[in-house]
Amino acid sequence: MVDKIKEVFQLTDKGAKGLIKASVSTVFSYISYMLPLMFVMYFIRDLLMGNLKTPMLYVFMILGIAVVMYMFLYVNYNTLYTETYRESKNLRIDIANILKELPLSYFSRHDVSDLAQTIMKDVEAIEHALSHAIPQAIGLILFLIIVCISMLANNFKMALAIILPVIISFVLLLLSKRMQVYGSTKYYNQLRVNSDKFQEAIELQQEIRSYNQGYKVREDLLWEMDKSEKIHITSEFSQALPLLLSSTILKFALGFIILFGTNLYINGDISLLYFLGYVIGSAKIVFTTEGLYENIGEIMYLDARINRIRELRNTEIQKGERVDIKTYDIEIKDVEFSYNEATKVIDGISFVAKQDEVTAIVGPSGCGKTTVLRLMSRLYDYDKGSLFIGGNEIMKIDTDSLFDKISIVFQDVMLFNTSIMENIRMGNKEATDEEVKEAARLANCTDFIKNLPQGYETVIGENGSNLSGGERQRISIARAILKNAPIILLDEISASLDVENEMQIQNSLNSLIKNKTVVIISHRLKSVENADKIVVMNNGKIDSIGKHKDLLKKSKLYKNMIEKSNITESYLY
Ligand code: ADP
C-alpha cells in the first residue's frame, strides 16, 4: 500500500506513511463529529419515552464527547500539518538531488521555466493537497462508507434513498471534473503558445519593422487569440452541464429523503426517532459529499504536476565514480552519437587530443564540432564507441571529478547576475581578490572593468546584459585562467571578438593553454594553423588529420576551406 501511494502521488517513503496516518486520523475525527448527533438522538429517545436520567449524567456525557472530539482533532491536526510540511521539505530536497544528478542534456531538452515551475509551484500544490485535499478526501470517503453501511444495516430503503442520488451526483461530478481538467489543460497550452508569440513579436520588433511584417504578425496573433477564446468557451460549456446536474441532484437529495421518510413514517414503517436520525444522517452525508467535491477538484488538477515530478524521477542519471585523473590525453575511438534517433550527428570518429598539445577541430558549419566538445565534457553521453581521458573511460567518471579537470569556454557565455568579481571567482571559489584581478588582467578585462561604475563590484545584469559579447567572452576566459584546469576546450571563442580584442586575447590564451590538453574549434582557420594537430570533420565523420602543411596536400576539403577563408579575410565592402 505504501508503495502504491508513493507511486500515485510521487511521495517519499516517509511521505506515503504520513499520508496514511493523516487519512486514518481524519476518519476518526469525522467519526467524532457524529458523537454530538448520537447524543442528541439518545437524549430525544429518553425524552420521548419519559425516561430522562439525572441532568449530571447528560452534562458528563457532553463533557466526555468534547474531550474525545478535542483529542481526535488535535491528533488529526498534528498528523496533517507536521507530516505534510516534513514531506514537502523532503520532496524539495529530493528534487534538488535529482537535478544535481541529471545529465546536462536534460536541461538543453527542457524548458528551464518548466523546471522552476516543478520545483516551486508543483511542490507547493502537492504540499497543499497533502495537508488538505488528499487526506480529507480519503478520510471523507472512508467516513461516508462507514455511515452508509450503518444506515443500510438499520433501514435499507431509507439508506438507499439517500445513497443512490449521492452516487449519481458523484459520478456526474467526476465527469465534469475530467472535462474541466482536459479543457483547461488545452486552454493553458494555448495560452502558452499565445505568450510565446507575443514574446517573439516584442523581441523581433526590429526585424518585423525592417521587413514590413507588422500586418502578418498581427494576423497571426489575432488568429491564436481567437483560437484560445474558442477553446475556453467550449471547455466551460462541456463541464457546466454535468456539474449543474450533479449539484442539483445533491441539493434535491435531502428534500427527497424527507418526503420518502415522511411517507414511511405515516405508513408506520419507521419510528419518529429513526426518521429524525436518518434525516440528520442524510444531511451529514450531503454536506460531507459537498466537502469531498472541493477536494476532488484539487486532486484532479494535481495529475499534471505529479506527472512532471514522475518524469524528473524517471530520467536516467549519469552514473560514475570519483576518479583521480592523473594524465590528460583525450582518446576518442569509433564514437557515434545522435541527439534524437533520426540522425546520426557523430558517425564513428576516432582521434587523440594529446596532453601539452593544441588540437584543432575544423569543418563546415553543422558537421558536429561543438558536439564533439560536448561529448568530451560529458554534457552528453555518446551512443557507441569509447572515449578515454588519461586512460579512464569517461562514462565511468562522475561529472564532478571530470569538471575539476576541464575548463570550457563556449561561444555563448553565460554570466550570473552578480558582481564581476564573483563571476570570475566562479572559476575557483578559493581565489583571493588579487588572484581574480590577475586572471582578469591576463584575459584583457582590466580596461573595460576600470570604466564600469563600481569596477570589480559592478553587478552586471541578468546574463551579463550590460556587457558586450566580447567583454562577456573575456570574463569567461578569465574564469578559465583562474580555474587553471589541465584540459581546456574552446568553442569558437573568437566569434564575438573584434580584431583588436582577438589579438589581445590570443596572448592571454597562450598563457592559459601552456602545457595543457587543448581542443579548439575555430572558424578562423588562420588562428589554428599552428596547432599541433588539426582534425578535419565533415558530416559527422573525419575527413583527415594532420598538420596544416600536410593537410593542404592531402585534404581537398581543408584546402578548399583555407581558400574560402582567405577570400573572406580579404573581402572589402
Ligand atoms: P558545428 O559545431 O560543427 O557547427 P554542431 O555540433 O553544433 O555542429 O551540430 C551538429 C548537428 O547537430 C547540426 O545538424 C545541429 O543542428 C545538430 N544539433 C546541435 N545541437 C543540437 C541539439 N541540442 N539538439 C538537436 N540537434 C542538435
Side-chain angles (χ1 to χ4, degrees):
M1 170 124 127
V2 174
D3 285 341
K4 186 83 199 148
I5 290 179
K6 260 170 71 179
E7 165 56 25
V8 172
F9 297 111
Q10 284 296 303
L11 300 177
T12 63
D13 218 33
K14 277 191 187 143
K17 285 181 188 150
L19 181 60
I20 295 176
K21 263 197 242 165
S23 306
V24 171
S25 79
T26 306
V27 178
F28 279 106
S29 70
Y30 281 121
I31 291 176
S32 77
Y33 290 152
M34 295 297 278
L35 293 176
L37 175 69
M38 287 157 120
F39 171 75
V40 171
M41 298 270 297
Y42 178 79
F43 182 74
I44 293 175
R45 195 193 64 183
D46 285 357
L47 192 69
L48 289 178
M49 295 174 83
N51 191 17
L52 277 179
K53 319 263 172 10
T54 143
M56 276 317 274
L57 178 72
Y58 297 114
V59 172
F60 275 127
M61 282 172 86
I62 291 171
L63 282 177
I65 288 172
V67 170
V68 170
M69 281 181 76
Y70 174 78
M71 271 165 34
F72 278 132
L73 286 179
Y74 180 78
V75 172
N76 186 226
Y77 185 88
N78 257 341
T79 46
L80 271 184
Y81 297 104
T82 34
E83 297 289 344
T84 309
Y85 294 128
R86 206 173 289 148
E87 172 60 6
S88 58
K89 187 184 95 187
N90 289 341
L91 207 57
R92 282 197 173 94
I93 294 174
D94 199 44
I95 291 178
N97 283 336
I98 296 171
L99 287 182
K100 240 173 50 188
E101 303 289 327
L102 284 178
L104 282 171
S105 55
Y106 183 90
F107 297 91
S108 73
R109 286 180 193 145
H110 289 75
D111 192 337
V112 176
S113 61
D114 263 3
L115 272 180
Q117 177 97 346
T118 304
I119 302 168
M120 303 308 297
K121 290 273 185 305
D122 294 354
V123 174
E124 199 178 299
I126 292 175
E127 173 182 284
H128 189 266
L130 273 181
S131 60
H132 297 80
I134 302 174
Q136 276 183 15
I138 297 176
L140 283 171
I141 290 172
L142 291 176
F143 174 69
L144 275 177
I145 292 173
I146 294 171
V147 173
C148 290
I149 289 174
S150 59
M151 282 173 89
L152 280 168
N154 280 303
N155 189 316
F156 195 74
K157 277 191 204 161
M158 277 290 277
L160 223 51
I162 182 74
I163 293 170
L164 271 184
V166 167
I167 289 178
I168 295 171
S169 149
F170 188 66
V171 170
L172 284 168
L173 177 99
L174 283 186
L175 186 70
S176 149
K177 290 288 171 194
R178 279 238 164 275
M179 287 178 164
Q180 189 182 355
V181 171
Y182 173 77
S184 58
T185 313
K186 208 166 153 195
Y187 178 57
Y188 282 116
N189 285 342
Q190 179 60 33
L191 283 186
R192 235 162 118 172
V193 172
N194 290 4
S195 79
D196 281 353
K197 290 258 170 203
F198 267 111
Q199 195 172 344
E200 191 182 84
I202 292 165
E203 282 172 0
L204 297 181
Q205 268 306 304
Q206 190 173 310
E207 286 73 12
I208 292 169
R209 286 183 196 206
S210 56
Y211 291 101
N212 215 359
Q213 292 289 307
Y215 178 73
K216 167 134 191 14
V217 171
R218 210 166 28 249
E219 286 279 287
D220 270 4
L221 278 175
L222 284 177
W223 193 80
E224 294 295 349
M225 284 190 328
D226 243 20
K227 199 166 146 193
S228 56
E229 198 181 319
K230 278 184 195 135
I231 293 175
H232 202 181
I233 292 171
T234 324
S235 104
E236 289 291 326
F237 263 123
S238 58
Q239 59 171 297
L241 188 67
L243 186 68
L244 209 70
L245 272 175
S246 163
S247 66
T248 313
I249 291 176
L250 199 62
K251 293 269 182 316
F252 274 104
L254 211 52
F256 180 63
I257 188 118
I258 293 174
L259 275 179
F260 186 71
T262 313
N263 191 28
L264 289 181
Y265 175 65
I266 290 170
N267 289 337
D269 289 340
I270 50 168
S271 67
L272 181 63
L273 194 65
Y274 262 106
F275 174 52
L276 281 177
Y278 268 79
V279 170
I280 297 171
S282 301
K284 192 84 201 153
I285 289 183
V286 168
F287 295 137
T288 311
T289 310
E290 274 174 351
L292 183 64
Y293 284 3
E294 282 167 26
N295 297 323
I296 297 267
E298 189 175 337
I299 293 172
M300 286 181 113
Y301 271 108
L302 225 52
D303 232 28
R305 298 183 184 280
I306 289 176
N307 278 342
R308 272 199 286 260
I309 294 183
R310 185 174 291 128
E311 189 203 346
L312 204 60
R313 287 220 167 100
N314 291 344
T315 306
E316 215 173 295
I317 57 165
Q318 284 184 305
K319 296 193 183 81
E321 287 165 19
R322 184 113 209 128
V323 175
D324 190 12
I325 307 170
K326 298 248 168 52
T327 58
Y328 307 104
D329 281 358
I330 304 175
E331 194 182 351
I332 297 188
K333 269 191 193 160
D334 305 320
V335 162
E336 292 181 15
F337 172 76
S338 49
Y339 287 102
N340 41 48
E341 262 106 69
T343 37
K344 229 183 245 180
V345 173
I346 300 297
D347 191 3
I349 62 167
S350 306
F351 68 89
V352 182
K354 283 208 153 296
Q355 189 170 341
D356 299 338
E357 281 190 10
V358 174
T359 304
I361 307 177
V362 301
S365 175
C367 71
K369 303 180 293 291
T370 301
T371 308
V372 172
L373 290 200
R374 287 179 179 155
L375 297 178
M376 283 177 167
S377 48
R378 255 203 116 177
L379 292 186
Y380 290 78
D381 281 335
Y382 46 88
D383 305 324
K384 277 197 188 148
S386 47
L387 203 163
F388 296 93
I389 294 190
N392 306 286
E393 170 122 44
I394 197 172
M395 294 265 212
K396 296 193 179 132
I397 309 174
D398 78 331
T399 44
D400 283 351
S401 318
L402 200 63
F403 276 98
D404 276 351
K405 305 294 181 191
I406 297 182
S407 275
I408 319 178
V409 183
F410 280 119
Q411 197 174 346
D412 307 315
V413 178
M414 292 293 173
L415 297 179
F416 292 85
N417 188 11
T418 166
S419 67
I420 301 252
M421 183 71 93
E422 290 315 311
N423 260 291
I424 300 178
R425 212 195 305 271
M426 258 150 221
N428 174 7
K429 281 202 203 77
E430 313 296 321
T432 61
D433 285 3
E434 287 320 305
E435 285 164 334
V436 171
K437 286 180 184 166
E438 176 59 13
R441 191 186 63 75
L442 286 170
N444 284 297
C445 297
T446 325
D447 281 351
F448 81 82
I449 294 176
K450 240 182 5 208
N451 292 330
L452 292 171
Q454 274 104 33
Y456 280 91
E457 294 311 320
T458 311
V459 174
I460 54 177
E462 204 166 313
N463 198 16
S465 53
N466 302 340
L467 300 176
S468 75
E471 289 164 348
R472 288 209 296 271
Q473 189 92 76
R474 278 181 276 166
I475 289 193
S476 83
I477 292 173
R479 255 187 209 164
I481 291 176
L482 198 61
K483 183 168 176 184
N484 199 20
I487 298 173
I488 311 271
L489 309 179
L490 303 170
D491 185 2
E492 292 282 13
I493 64 156
S494 52
S496 48
L497 301 177
D498 52 42
V499 177
E500 191 185 332
N501 254 325
E502 197 183 339
M503 274 163 54
Q504 286 180 331
I505 285 209
Q506 209 61 50
N507 293 334
S508 39
L509 275 182
N510 288 340
S511 74
L512 167 69
I513 65 184
K514 217 167 170 185
N515 303 329
K516 297 193 168 143
T517 310
V518 180
V519 182
I520 181 162
I521 298 176
S522 178
H523 71 283
R524 305 215 27 207
L525 297 179
K526 198 101 199 106
S527 64
V528 295
E529 265 178 16
N530 292 333
D532 300 287
K533 183 185 284 170
I534 300 175
V535 178
V536 185
M537 282 186 68
N538 194 16
N539 266 336
K541 291 190 164 69
I542 290 195
D543 172 88
S544 42
I545 300 178
K547 286 195 182 250
H548 173 67
K549 281 195 179 135
D550 310 333
L551 289 174
L552 280 178
K553 281 183 221 142
K554 71 177 185 193
S555 167
K556 236 169 142 178
L557 175 64
Y558 185 72
K559 196 162 167 254
N560 251 331
M561 283 165 53
I562 291 281
E563 280 164 9
K564 273 192 199 144
S565 117
N566 288 342
I567 296 174
T568 319
E569 298 213 352
S570 57
Y571 184 82
L572 293 174
Y573 284 101

